[in-house]
Structures are given as structure tokens and as C-alpha cells.
Amino acid sequence: MNIINQEFKTPAQIAAETGFIIESLGDALRQFQDTNSKHYACEAAVNGMAAFWVRTNYSNTASARLTDTANLTGDLNTAIALVQLPLPVWTIFQQLEALIPLNRGAAEQIVVEYSKLGHMRDVEELLARETHIICNGFKSRGM
């Protein structure tokens, strides 16, 4: 991308997104037991990469591997290719439904993966996912 096509964020957009990341991490990681996954999610967010969380229990190996790999690589598509989910048990669609984007970059990548499966989601809907999960009594990962 060149400078002519580059979208520059306003200070208000940057502050809003940074605040959202901090709030989402705080909500998603409350009473969290898997310190490695917590570290990977925080590192991805701090380094400006797509940062993901998941609402499944931390003992769900397929889910944890995918989320950790996505946070380590910064790319959900790469994580899906590397982890090779056990499709009869845990499909890519099910994993996408459980993922919680911690920043806009993660939400955009989730939208792309949904579209590959023929489903439509939008970034704002995905960014509101953690709030929905907490407000409606769903458990976040590790709670």
C-alpha cells in the first residue's frame, strides 16, 4: 500500500481502539488460568498485531491452539492452516463463532474467514461480541 491509499487514523480513533483493546483484554482475561495464552494475546495487542480471544474453556485444546497460533503469527488464516482443526469434532465455523476479536485487525480477519465459508459478518458486530457475551451471561474463556 502506498501513501496515497493509506488511511490515517485520527487521534480519537486511536484512543478509542486502544481503550477497546484494554477493556476487552480486561474482560476476557478476568480470573484467567492459562498464563501462556494470556501472554500471547497481550503481546499481539501491544505489538499492534491482530489479537484474539476465545470464549471456550482453556482446556479445549483445539480452540486454545488456534487462538494461541493466531496471536503468535498475527494471522488467523495462517493459524487455521497450521493448526488443522479436527473437522468432525470442531469445525472452522464453530471456532469462528467462539472467537472474540480484541482489536479491529482481528475482527477484520475473522470477517474474511467467515466470508470464505459463505457467511457474512461485519467488523462492528464482531467487536461487540465480548460485550454481548458478558452482558448476556455467557462465559468467557477461563471463567
Side-chain angles (χ1 to χ4, degrees), residues 33-131:
Q33 301 167 3
D34 186 344
T35 54
N36 286 332
S37 292
K38 178 180 177 180
H39 174 77
Y40 301 149
C42 290
E43 281 291 314
V46 166
N47 291 326
M49 297 174 10
F52 302 88
W53 201 246
V54 68
R55 66 179 174 173
T56 60
N57 191 294
Y58 69 93
S59 64
N60 183 319
T61 304
S63 179
R65 285 180 56 218
L66 182 78
T67 307
D68 289 351
T69 304
N71 284 324
L72 287 167
T73 63
D75 184 57
L76 184 56
N77 185 49
T78 299
I80 290 169
L82 290 173
V83 170
Q84 299 175 352
L85 294 172
L87 294 181
V89 179
W90 193 238
T91 68
I92 294 170
F93 178 78
Q94 289 171 313
Q95 181 60 45
L96 294 175
E97 287 290 285
L99 277 178
I100 300 167
L102 296 177
N103 56 20
R104 185 166 293 278
E108 290 169 352
Q109 288 185 26
I110 295 171
V111 166
V112 169
E113 294 304 319
Y114 269 119
S115 69
K116 290 178 184 177
L117 300 173
H119 297 277
M120 292 186 62
R121 298 289 190 276
D122 66 33
V123 170
E124 299 308 319
E125 168 197 354
L126 294 173
L127 289 174
R129 196 174 262 186
E130 178 66 15
T131 302

